[in-house]
Amino acid sequence: MGRRWGLLVGVLGAVWLLGSGQGGRQPAESAAQRCFCQVSGYLDDCTCDVETIDRFNNYRLFPRLQNLLESDYFRYYKVNLKRPCPFWNDISQCGRRDCAVKPCQSDEVPDGIKSVSYKYSEEANSLIEECEQAERLGAVDESLSEETQKAVLQWTKHDDSSDNFCEADDIQSPDAEYVDLLLNPERYTGYKGPDAWKIWNVIYEENCFKPQTIKRPLNPLASGQGKSEENTFYSWLEGLCVEKRAFYRLISGLHASINVHLSARYLLQDTWLEKKWGHNVTEFQQRFDGILTKGEGPRRLKNLYFLYLIELRALSKVVPFFERPDFQLFTGNKIQDAENKMLLLEILHEIKSFPLHFDENSFFAGDKKEANKLKEDFRLHFRNISRIMDCVGCLKCRLWGKLQTQGLGTALKILFSEKLIANMPESGPSYEFHLTRQEIVSLFNAFGRISTSVKELENFRKLLQNIH
Ligand SMILES: *[C@@H]1O[C@H](CO)[C@@H](O)[C@H](O)[C@H]1NC(C)=O
Ligand SMILES: *[C@@H]1O[C@H](CO)[C@@H](O)[C@H](O)[C@H]1NC(C)=O
Protein backbone atom coordinates (compact mmCIF):
# COMPACT_ATOMS: atom_id res chain seq x y z
CA MET A 1 0.00 0.00 0.00
CA GLY A 2 2.67 2.49 1.12
CA ARG A 3 4.82 1.56 -1.85
CA ARG A 4 2.06 2.15 -4.38
CA TRP A 5 1.25 5.44 -2.78
CA GLY A 6 4.87 6.53 -2.91
CA LEU A 7 5.17 5.56 -6.53
CA LEU A 8 1.97 7.39 -7.34
CA VAL A 9 3.18 10.54 -5.64
CA GLY A 10 6.41 10.23 -7.61
CA VAL A 11 4.61 9.80 -10.92
CA LEU A 12 2.30 12.70 -10.25
CA GLY A 13 5.25 14.84 -9.25
CA ALA A 14 7.02 14.07 -12.51
CA VAL A 15 3.97 14.76 -14.63
CA TRP A 16 3.46 18.00 -12.84
CA LEU A 17 7.05 19.01 -13.39
CA LEU A 18 6.87 18.24 -17.08
CA GLY A 19 3.79 20.40 -17.38
CA SER A 20 5.07 23.30 -15.38
CA GLY A 21 8.22 24.00 -17.36
CA GLN A 22 11.12 25.92 -15.88
CA GLY A 23 9.33 29.04 -14.71
CA GLY A 24 6.93 28.05 -11.94
CA ARG A 25 7.72 27.47 -8.28
CA GLN A 26 8.27 23.80 -7.81
CA PRO A 27 7.85 21.57 -4.77
CA ALA A 28 11.04 21.38 -2.74
CA GLU A 29 11.31 17.62 -2.36
CA SER A 30 10.20 16.12 -5.60
CA ALA A 31 13.55 14.84 -6.87
CA ALA A 32 14.53 13.69 -3.41
CA GLN A 33 11.16 12.11 -2.89
CA ARG A 34 11.46 10.06 -5.98
CA CYS A 35 14.46 8.26 -4.54
CA PHE A 36 13.59 8.37 -0.89
CA CYS A 37 9.88 8.61 -0.27
CA GLN A 38 9.50 4.86 -0.01
CA VAL A 39 12.68 4.50 1.94
CA SER A 40 11.38 5.36 5.35
CA GLY A 41 9.58 3.76 8.22
CA TYR A 42 9.77 0.05 8.92
CA LEU A 43 11.85 -2.33 6.86
CA ASP A 44 10.48 -5.61 5.58
CA ASP A 45 11.53 -8.71 7.51
CA CYS A 46 12.75 -6.77 10.56
CA THR A 47 11.49 -4.43 13.20
CA CYS A 48 13.63 -1.42 12.63
CA ASP A 49 13.03 1.85 10.92
CA VAL A 50 15.25 3.77 8.58
CA GLU A 51 15.26 7.03 10.56
CA THR A 52 16.61 5.32 13.67
CA ILE A 53 19.42 3.77 11.63
CA ASP A 54 20.27 7.11 10.01
CA ARG A 55 20.61 8.92 13.31
CA PHE A 56 22.53 6.15 14.94
CA ASN A 57 24.92 5.66 12.04
CA ASN A 58 25.55 9.19 10.85
CA TYR A 59 26.20 10.82 14.18
CA ARG A 60 27.37 8.14 16.57
CA LEU A 61 29.04 5.41 14.62
CA PHE A 62 30.34 6.70 11.34
CA PRO A 63 32.96 9.23 12.59
CA ARG A 64 34.54 6.83 15.07
CA LEU A 65 34.54 3.97 12.64
CA GLN A 66 36.37 6.11 10.09
CA ASN A 67 39.03 6.80 12.69
CA LEU A 68 39.50 3.16 13.42
CA LEU A 69 39.75 2.19 9.77
CA GLU A 70 42.59 4.64 9.24
CA SER A 71 44.79 2.79 11.71
CA ASP A 72 47.59 0.57 10.46
CA TYR A 73 45.86 -2.58 11.58
CA PHE A 74 42.83 -1.96 9.39
CA ARG A 75 44.30 -0.23 6.38
CA TYR A 76 46.48 -3.07 5.14
CA TYR A 77 44.61 -5.94 3.53
CA LYS A 78 46.30 -8.90 1.93
CA VAL A 79 44.69 -10.01 -1.26
CA ASN A 80 45.40 -12.19 -4.25
CA LEU A 81 44.22 -10.31 -7.32
CA LYS A 82 45.79 -12.77 -9.71
CA ARG A 83 43.60 -15.78 -9.11
CA PRO A 84 42.10 -17.07 -12.34
CA CYS A 85 38.37 -16.75 -12.83
CA PRO A 86 36.96 -20.25 -12.27
CA PHE A 87 33.88 -19.78 -14.42
CA TRP A 88 34.87 -18.33 -17.77
CA ASN A 89 38.09 -17.11 -19.36
CA ASP A 90 37.28 -14.19 -21.58
CA ILE A 91 37.86 -11.60 -18.91
CA SER A 92 38.41 -8.22 -20.46
CA GLN A 93 41.04 -6.75 -18.21
CA CYS A 94 40.07 -3.16 -18.26
CA GLY A 95 43.11 -1.08 -19.00
CA ARG A 96 41.86 2.09 -17.41
CA ARG A 97 44.25 3.86 -15.11
CA ASP A 98 41.56 4.21 -12.47
CA CYS A 99 41.23 0.44 -12.26
CA ALA A 100 44.83 -0.06 -11.22
CA VAL A 101 45.66 -1.20 -7.71
CA LYS A 102 48.95 -0.19 -6.24
CA PRO A 103 50.25 -2.87 -3.90
CA CYS A 104 52.43 -1.97 -0.92
CA GLN A 105 56.20 -1.99 -1.05
CA SER A 106 57.43 -4.59 1.36
CA ASP A 107 58.84 -2.03 3.81
CA GLU A 108 55.56 -0.10 4.05
CA VAL A 109 53.63 -2.69 6.01
CA PRO A 110 54.48 -2.91 9.72
CA ASP A 111 56.42 -6.06 10.55
CA GLY A 112 53.91 -6.95 13.22
CA ILE A 113 51.24 -7.32 10.58
CA LYS A 114 53.36 -9.12 8.02
CA SER A 115 54.60 -11.76 10.37
CA VAL A 116 51.19 -12.51 11.76
CA SER A 117 48.80 -12.51 8.92
CA TYR A 118 46.31 -14.66 10.77
CA LYS A 119 47.29 -14.44 14.40
CA TYR A 120 46.30 -11.88 16.88
CA SER A 121 48.45 -11.84 19.96
CA GLU A 122 52.10 -11.88 20.73
CA GLU A 123 52.03 -15.09 22.72
CA ALA A 124 49.96 -16.84 20.13
CA ASN A 125 52.44 -15.67 17.57
CA SER A 126 55.55 -17.11 19.02
CA LEU A 127 53.68 -20.29 19.75
CA ILE A 128 52.43 -20.48 16.22
CA GLU A 129 55.76 -19.77 14.68
CA GLU A 130 57.13 -22.64 16.69
CA CYS A 131 54.30 -24.82 15.47
CA GLU A 132 54.66 -23.85 11.89
CA GLN A 133 58.31 -24.62 11.98
CA ALA A 134 57.57 -27.93 13.56
CA GLU A 135 54.94 -28.69 10.96
CA ARG A 136 57.31 -27.88 8.16
CA LEU A 137 59.83 -30.23 9.67
CA GLY A 138 57.13 -32.85 9.95
CA ALA A 139 57.71 -33.15 13.64
CA VAL A 140 54.36 -32.26 15.10
CA ASP A 141 53.95 -35.36 17.20
CA GLU A 142 57.15 -35.98 19.08
CA SER A 143 59.25 -32.92 19.53
CA LEU A 144 56.65 -30.43 20.72
CA SER A 145 55.73 -29.59 24.24
CA GLU A 146 52.29 -30.65 25.30
CA GLU A 147 51.18 -27.07 25.35
CA THR A 148 52.31 -26.49 21.81
CA GLN A 149 50.62 -29.64 20.63
CA LYS A 150 47.38 -28.42 22.12
CA ALA A 151 47.84 -25.13 20.40
CA VAL A 152 48.44 -26.86 17.09
CA LEU A 153 45.20 -28.74 17.47
CA GLN A 154 43.42 -25.60 18.49
CA TRP A 155 44.61 -23.65 15.48
CA THR A 156 43.85 -26.46 13.10
CA LYS A 157 40.34 -26.43 14.42
CA HIS A 158 40.17 -22.77 13.73
CA ASP A 159 40.83 -23.54 10.13
CA ASP A 160 37.79 -25.76 10.11
CA SER A 161 36.18 -24.44 7.01
CA SER A 162 32.68 -25.65 7.70
CA ASP A 163 31.90 -22.35 9.35
CA ASN A 164 33.14 -20.31 6.48
CA PHE A 165 30.87 -18.55 4.05
CA CYS A 166 33.68 -17.38 1.84
CA GLU A 167 36.31 -19.10 -0.15
CA ALA A 168 39.26 -17.30 1.34
CA ASP A 169 42.22 -16.30 -0.74
CA ASP A 170 45.31 -18.31 -0.15
CA ILE A 171 47.18 -15.45 1.40
CA GLN A 172 50.36 -17.50 1.68
CA SER A 173 50.52 -17.62 -2.09
CA PRO A 174 53.35 -15.62 -3.63
CA ASP A 175 50.69 -13.83 -5.69
CA ALA A 176 49.02 -12.39 -2.61
CA GLU A 177 50.07 -8.84 -1.82
CA TYR A 178 49.32 -6.25 0.80
CA VAL A 179 47.23 -3.33 -0.36
CA ASP A 180 46.85 -0.05 1.47
CA LEU A 181 43.11 0.52 1.38
CA LEU A 182 43.48 4.23 2.11
CA LEU A 183 45.60 4.69 -1.00
CA ASN A 184 43.29 2.63 -3.19
CA PRO A 185 39.86 3.98 -2.34
CA GLU A 186 36.70 2.57 -3.80
CA ARG A 187 35.44 5.05 -6.34
CA TYR A 188 34.22 5.48 -9.87
CA THR A 189 36.52 3.71 -12.33
CA GLY A 190 34.54 3.67 -15.53
CA TYR A 191 34.00 -0.07 -15.14
CA LYS A 192 30.36 -0.42 -16.02
CA GLY A 193 28.05 -1.43 -18.78
CA PRO A 194 28.06 -4.99 -20.20
CA ASP A 195 31.17 -6.26 -18.38
CA ALA A 196 29.97 -5.19 -14.96
CA TRP A 197 26.43 -6.35 -15.73
CA LYS A 198 27.73 -9.77 -16.63
CA ILE A 199 29.16 -10.20 -13.14
CA TRP A 200 26.04 -9.05 -11.34
CA ASN A 201 23.95 -11.00 -13.76
CA VAL A 202 25.72 -14.24 -12.90
CA ILE A 203 25.47 -13.45 -9.22
CA TYR A 204 21.76 -12.86 -9.36
CA GLU A 205 20.80 -15.37 -11.98
CA GLU A 206 22.77 -18.38 -10.92
CA ASN A 207 23.24 -17.94 -7.28
CA CYS A 208 20.14 -16.58 -5.71
CA PHE A 209 18.03 -19.71 -5.38
CA LYS A 210 16.20 -18.57 -8.42
CA PRO A 211 14.49 -20.82 -10.95
CA GLN A 212 15.64 -20.18 -14.53
CA THR A 213 12.20 -19.20 -15.69
CA ILE A 214 11.90 -16.13 -13.54
CA LYS A 215 13.80 -13.10 -14.67
CA ARG A 216 14.89 -10.37 -12.37
CA PRO A 217 14.55 -6.95 -13.99
CA LEU A 218 18.25 -6.54 -14.53
CA ASN A 219 18.85 -3.30 -16.29
CA PRO A 220 15.69 -1.34 -15.81
CA LEU A 221 16.77 1.20 -18.40
CA ALA A 222 16.89 -1.35 -21.19
CA SER A 223 13.83 -1.55 -23.35
CA GLY A 224 11.72 -4.63 -23.72
CA GLN A 225 11.20 -5.39 -20.07
CA GLY A 226 7.54 -5.67 -19.48
CA LYS A 227 5.75 -4.84 -16.29
CA SER A 228 4.56 -8.41 -15.99
CA GLU A 229 8.08 -9.75 -15.77
CA GLU A 230 8.77 -7.56 -12.77
CA ASN A 231 5.55 -8.60 -11.13
CA THR A 232 6.41 -12.25 -11.58
CA PHE A 233 9.79 -11.68 -10.03
CA TYR A 234 8.58 -9.83 -6.99
CA SER A 235 5.67 -12.12 -6.30
CA TRP A 236 8.10 -15.02 -6.52
CA LEU A 237 10.35 -13.23 -4.02
CA GLU A 238 7.47 -12.57 -1.63
CA GLY A 239 6.62 -16.24 -1.71
CA LEU A 240 10.07 -17.36 -0.59
CA CYS A 241 10.97 -18.38 2.91
CA VAL A 242 12.57 -15.59 4.89
CA GLU A 243 16.11 -16.99 4.50
CA LYS A 244 16.13 -17.15 0.74
CA ARG A 245 14.59 -13.74 0.52
CA ALA A 246 17.25 -12.48 2.90
CA PHE A 247 19.94 -13.89 0.65
CA TYR A 248 18.62 -11.96 -2.31
CA ARG A 249 18.30 -8.81 -0.23
CA LEU A 250 21.88 -9.02 1.02
CA ILE A 251 23.24 -9.27 -2.50
CA SER A 252 21.00 -6.48 -3.69
CA GLY A 253 22.05 -4.36 -0.70
CA LEU A 254 25.71 -4.91 -1.48
CA HIS A 255 25.11 -3.97 -5.08
CA ALA A 256 23.27 -0.82 -3.99
CA SER A 257 26.01 0.13 -1.55
CA ILE A 258 28.69 -0.17 -4.20
CA ASN A 259 26.64 1.99 -6.55
CA VAL A 260 26.16 4.64 -3.89
CA HIS A 261 29.95 4.87 -3.53
CA LEU A 262 30.49 5.10 -7.24
CA SER A 263 27.94 7.93 -7.48
CA ALA A 264 29.43 9.71 -4.50
CA ARG A 265 32.99 9.47 -5.78
CA TYR A 266 32.38 10.01 -9.44
CA LEU A 267 35.20 11.23 -11.63
CA LEU A 268 33.84 14.74 -12.28
CA GLN A 269 36.88 16.34 -13.80
CA ASP A 270 39.80 14.74 -15.57
CA THR A 271 42.21 17.28 -16.97
CA TRP A 272 45.97 17.42 -17.01
CA LEU A 273 45.71 19.90 -14.15
CA GLU A 274 43.69 17.85 -11.77
CA LYS A 275 41.35 15.00 -11.19
CA LYS A 276 38.29 15.68 -9.13
CA TRP A 277 36.00 13.12 -7.59
CA GLY A 278 32.65 14.00 -6.13
CA HIS A 279 28.88 13.53 -6.06
CA ASN A 280 27.14 12.94 -9.35
CA VAL A 281 23.45 13.33 -8.70
CA THR A 282 22.45 12.25 -12.21
CA GLU A 283 24.31 8.98 -11.79
CA PHE A 284 22.63 8.46 -8.43
CA GLN A 285 19.20 9.11 -9.90
CA GLN A 286 19.79 6.71 -12.74
CA ARG A 287 20.37 3.98 -10.22
CA PHE A 288 17.89 4.84 -7.51
CA ASP A 289 15.16 7.14 -8.78
CA GLY A 290 11.83 5.38 -8.41
CA ILE A 291 10.59 6.35 -11.84
CA LEU A 292 13.79 5.98 -13.83
CA THR A 293 14.32 2.51 -12.39
CA LYS A 294 10.67 1.53 -12.59
CA GLY A 295 10.37 1.13 -8.88
CA GLU A 296 13.60 -0.85 -8.40
CA GLY A 297 15.70 1.97 -6.93
CA PRO A 298 13.91 2.47 -3.62
CA ARG A 299 13.84 -1.30 -3.13
CA ARG A 300 17.59 -1.38 -3.59
CA LEU A 301 18.02 1.31 -0.96
CA LYS A 302 15.87 -0.62 1.48
CA ASN A 303 18.02 -3.66 0.89
CA LEU A 304 21.05 -1.57 1.72
CA TYR A 305 19.56 -0.85 5.13
CA PHE A 306 18.78 -4.52 5.55
CA LEU A 307 22.42 -5.38 4.88
CA TYR A 308 23.44 -2.73 7.38
CA LEU A 309 21.31 -4.33 10.07
CA ILE A 310 22.67 -7.81 9.40
CA GLU A 311 26.29 -6.68 9.74
CA LEU A 312 25.45 -4.54 12.74
CA ARG A 313 23.92 -7.53 14.47
CA ALA A 314 26.95 -9.68 13.70
CA LEU A 315 29.23 -7.08 15.24
CA SER A 316 27.16 -6.87 18.39
CA LYS A 317 27.21 -10.62 18.68
CA VAL A 318 30.94 -11.04 18.37
CA VAL A 319 31.82 -8.49 21.07
CA PRO A 320 32.97 -11.13 23.59
CA PHE A 321 35.59 -12.37 21.16
CA PHE A 322 37.16 -8.92 20.98
CA GLU A 323 36.83 -8.40 24.73
CA ARG A 324 39.14 -11.29 25.49
CA PRO A 325 42.11 -9.88 27.38
CA ASP A 326 44.59 -11.65 25.09
CA PHE A 327 43.06 -10.21 21.97
CA GLN A 328 45.20 -7.51 20.37
CA LEU A 329 45.05 -5.50 17.21
CA PHE A 330 48.65 -6.46 16.84
CA THR A 331 50.94 -4.36 14.66
CA GLY A 332 53.93 -4.31 16.97
CA ASN A 333 53.39 -0.75 18.21
CA LYS A 334 52.30 -1.37 21.79
CA ILE A 335 50.84 2.05 22.58
CA GLN A 336 49.02 2.41 19.30
CA ASP A 337 47.72 -1.14 19.50
CA ALA A 338 46.29 -0.56 22.97
CA GLU A 339 44.63 2.68 21.90
CA ASN A 340 43.12 1.01 18.89
CA LYS A 341 41.71 -1.77 20.94
CA MET A 342 40.08 0.76 23.23
CA LEU A 343 38.53 2.54 20.27
CA LEU A 344 37.39 -0.78 18.83
CA LEU A 345 35.66 -1.75 22.07
CA GLU A 346 34.06 1.67 22.35
CA ILE A 347 32.61 1.25 18.89
CA LEU A 348 31.44 -2.26 19.63
CA HIS A 349 29.70 -1.18 22.83
CA GLU A 350 28.00 1.60 20.95
CA ILE A 351 26.81 -1.01 18.46
CA LYS A 352 25.63 -3.27 21.22
CA SER A 353 23.53 -0.45 22.61
CA PHE A 354 21.59 -0.09 19.35
CA PRO A 355 18.02 -0.71 20.44
CA LEU A 356 16.53 -2.43 17.40
CA HIS A 357 18.81 -5.27 16.49
CA PHE A 358 17.82 -7.75 13.85
CA ASP A 359 16.74 -11.07 15.29
CA GLU A 360 18.75 -13.72 13.52
CA ASN A 361 16.92 -16.42 15.43
CA SER A 362 14.13 -16.05 12.95
CA PHE A 363 16.54 -17.62 10.47
CA PHE A 364 16.98 -21.35 10.10
CA ALA A 365 14.58 -21.82 12.96
CA GLY A 366 12.18 -24.48 11.71
CA ASP A 367 12.69 -28.21 11.55
CA LYS A 368 16.30 -28.94 12.48
CA LYS A 369 17.11 -31.11 9.50
CA GLU A 370 15.55 -28.77 7.01
CA ALA A 371 17.15 -25.76 8.66
CA ASN A 372 20.59 -27.34 8.38
CA LYS A 373 20.11 -28.12 4.75
CA LEU A 374 19.01 -24.57 4.08
CA LYS A 375 21.99 -23.21 5.95
CA GLU A 376 24.34 -25.39 3.95
CA ASP A 377 22.70 -24.20 0.71
CA PHE A 378 23.06 -20.64 1.84
CA ARG A 379 26.73 -21.19 2.57
CA LEU A 380 27.48 -22.84 -0.78
CA HIS A 381 25.72 -20.14 -2.72
CA PHE A 382 27.60 -17.48 -0.87
CA ARG A 383 30.96 -19.16 -1.39
CA ASN A 384 30.21 -19.22 -5.06
CA ILE A 385 29.69 -15.50 -5.04
CA SER A 386 33.03 -14.97 -3.38
CA ARG A 387 34.66 -16.96 -6.20
CA ILE A 388 32.92 -14.92 -8.85
CA MET A 389 34.82 -11.90 -7.57
CA ASP A 390 37.91 -13.38 -9.26
CA CYS A 391 36.14 -12.73 -12.55
CA VAL A 392 35.77 -8.99 -12.11
CA GLY A 393 37.82 -7.34 -14.85
CA CYS A 394 38.64 -4.10 -13.10
CA LEU A 395 41.23 -4.79 -10.41
CA LYS A 396 40.15 -1.94 -8.17
CA CYS A 397 36.60 -3.25 -8.26
CA ARG A 398 37.86 -6.77 -7.69
CA LEU A 399 39.76 -5.66 -4.60
CA TRP A 400 36.73 -3.98 -3.04
CA GLY A 401 34.40 -6.72 -4.21
CA LYS A 402 36.55 -9.34 -2.52
CA LEU A 403 36.90 -7.33 0.63
CA GLN A 404 33.19 -6.68 0.92
CA THR A 405 32.12 -10.23 0.19
CA GLN A 406 34.66 -11.54 2.67
CA GLY A 407 33.35 -9.04 5.21
CA LEU A 408 29.76 -10.09 4.68
CA GLY A 409 30.82 -13.74 4.71
CA THR A 410 32.49 -13.15 8.06
CA ALA A 411 29.33 -11.50 9.38
CA LEU A 412 27.32 -14.55 8.34
CA LYS A 413 29.89 -16.86 9.88
CA ILE A 414 29.44 -14.99 13.15
CA LEU A 415 25.66 -15.00 13.00
CA PHE A 416 25.36 -18.68 12.24
CA SER A 417 28.33 -20.21 13.97
CA GLU A 418 27.22 -22.96 16.30
CA LYS A 419 30.29 -22.36 18.41
CA LEU A 420 29.37 -18.80 19.00
CA ILE A 421 25.72 -19.62 19.61
CA ALA A 422 26.58 -22.39 22.02
CA ASN A 423 29.19 -20.53 23.95
CA MET A 424 28.63 -16.86 23.89
CA PRO A 425 25.41 -15.85 25.57
CA GLU A 426 26.62 -13.86 28.55
CA SER A 427 28.69 -16.83 29.74
CA GLY A 428 31.91 -15.07 28.88
CA PRO A 429 34.22 -15.24 25.94
CA SER A 430 34.40 -18.37 23.87
CA TYR A 431 37.82 -19.71 23.10
CA GLU A 432 36.55 -21.98 20.37
CA PHE A 433 35.44 -19.24 18.09
CA HIS A 434 38.13 -17.59 16.06
CA LEU A 435 38.54 -14.93 13.44
CA THR A 436 41.69 -14.46 11.38
CA ARG A 437 43.21 -11.02 10.90
CA GLN A 438 41.97 -11.04 7.31
CA GLU A 439 38.44 -11.71 8.51
CA ILE A 440 38.64 -8.96 11.10
CA VAL A 441 40.00 -6.43 8.63
CA SER A 442 37.39 -7.30 6.00
CA LEU A 443 34.53 -7.38 8.51
CA PHE A 444 35.16 -3.86 9.76
CA ASN A 445 36.08 -2.39 6.39
CA ALA A 446 33.00 -3.91 4.77
CA PHE A 447 30.83 -2.49 7.51
CA GLY A 448 32.66 0.81 7.11
CA ARG A 449 31.63 0.84 3.45
CA ILE A 450 27.96 0.33 4.25
CA SER A 451 28.13 2.87 7.03
CA THR A 452 29.60 5.31 4.50
CA SER A 453 26.77 4.54 2.09
CA VAL A 454 24.14 5.32 4.71
CA LYS A 455 25.93 8.55 5.46
CA GLU A 456 26.15 9.37 1.74
CA LEU A 457 22.41 8.90 1.36
CA GLU A 458 21.99 11.88 3.64
CA ASN A 459 24.24 13.92 1.33
CA PHE A 460 22.33 12.85 -1.75
CA ARG A 461 19.03 13.64 -0.09
CA LYS A 462 20.24 17.22 0.45
CA LEU A 463 21.67 17.52 -3.06
CA LEU A 464 18.44 16.28 -4.59
CA GLN A 465 16.44 18.79 -2.61
CA ASN A 466 18.33 21.58 -4.32
CA ILE A 467 17.56 20.31 -7.77
CA HIS A 468 13.92 21.15 -8.29
C1 LIG B 1 27.26 12.33 -14.21
O1 LIG B 1 26.83 11.05 -14.65
C2 LIG B 1 26.19 11.01 -15.90
C3 LIG B 1 25.78 9.60 -16.16
O2 LIG B 1 24.91 9.12 -15.19
C4 LIG B 1 27.12 11.55 -16.97
O3 LIG B 1 26.47 11.55 -18.22
C5 LIG B 1 27.60 12.95 -16.60
O4 LIG B 1 28.53 13.39 -17.53
C6 LIG B 1 28.21 12.95 -15.22
N1 LIG B 1 28.51 14.33 -14.81
C7 LIG B 1 29.74 14.76 -14.62
C8 LIG B 1 29.89 16.17 -14.18
O5 LIG B 1 30.70 14.04 -14.78
C1 LIG C 1 28.21 -21.62 -8.78
O1 LIG C 1 28.38 -20.75 -9.89
C2 LIG C 1 28.50 -21.40 -11.13
C3 LIG C 1 28.74 -20.35 -12.18
O2 LIG C 1 27.83 -19.32 -12.12
C4 LIG C 1 27.25 -22.24 -11.40
O3 LIG C 1 27.42 -22.93 -12.59
C5 LIG C 1 26.98 -23.18 -10.23
O4 LIG C 1 25.77 -23.86 -10.43
C6 LIG C 1 26.90 -22.41 -8.93
N1 LIG C 1 26.71 -23.28 -7.78
C7 LIG C 1 25.92 -22.93 -6.74
C8 LIG C 1 25.84 -23.88 -5.63
O5 LIG C 1 25.35 -21.87 -6.71
Side-chain angles (χ1 to χ4, degrees), residues 87 202 206-207 381 384:
F87 300 120
V202 171
E206 294 193 46
N207 291 292
H381 279 294
N384 220 352

Side-chain angles (χ1 to χ4, degrees), residues 19 65 140 455:
L65 195 55
V140 179
K455 171 81 182 156

Side-chain angles (χ1 to χ4, degrees), residues 24 40 49 66 84 94 100 126 142 155 213 258 285 298 371 376 393 411:
S40 70
D49 63 283
Q66 288 313 105
C94 93
S126 46
E142 286 111 83
W155 288 100
T213 50
I258 290 173
Q285 283 176 305
E376 184 60 12

Side-chain angles (χ1 to χ4, degrees), residues 62 76 128 152 167 178 269 287 349 388 411:
F62 175 78
Y76 297 110
I128 284 297
V152 172
E167 178 142 322
Y178 280 99
Q269 204 183 72
R287 297 178 185 276
H349 288 140
I388 288 175

